Amino acid sequence: MLKKRAEARSASRRHRQIMSAARHMADSPSLWGDETIQMDPEYVIVLAYGRHQIRVTPEEARDALGAALLERGFGLDRMTAA
């Protein structure tokens, strides 16, 4: 039971860290001023590794960036197709 709780806490922490990196990307001032700017999920991968020392899969990065963009009121068309 303790192992399951530890795994759940670890998964929750990982999710928060990945979303933190994605939100940082979605908060970029360039998104507000230029309608042609698109974000690449690859940036989330690099930022998550640099800030939190975690490896993120491209699928996780794409999902997190999509969620962060939608939270900020942007469409998924602001994300590059990878």
Side-chain angles (χ1 to χ4, degrees), residues 7-78:
E7 288 174 358
R9 276 193 313 267
S10 178
S12 177
R13 180 178 181 208
R14 177 180 169 78
H15 176 75
R16 283 192 316 271
Q17 290 172 323
I18 295 169
M19 286 304 299
S20 171
R23 286 182 182 121
H24 182 78
M25 296 299 305
D27 284 340
S28 173
S30 61
L31 278 178
W32 295 98
D34 188 350
E35 304 255 339
T36 63
I37 296 284
Q38 290 191 319
M39 293 285 149
D40 190 342
E42 185 73 23
Y43 297 150
V44 175
I45 293 171
V46 174
L47 190 57
Y49 182 75
R51 284 185 159 197
H52 306 291
Q53 295 81 42
I54 59 173
R55 299 274 182 195
V56 178
T57 66
E59 293 79 22
E60 289 174 316
R62 187 175 50 252
D63 293 345
L65 183 57
L69 287 170
L70 290 174
E71 282 179 348
R72 301 304 190 266
F74 298 112
L76 293 179
D77 59 331
R78 299 302 292 270

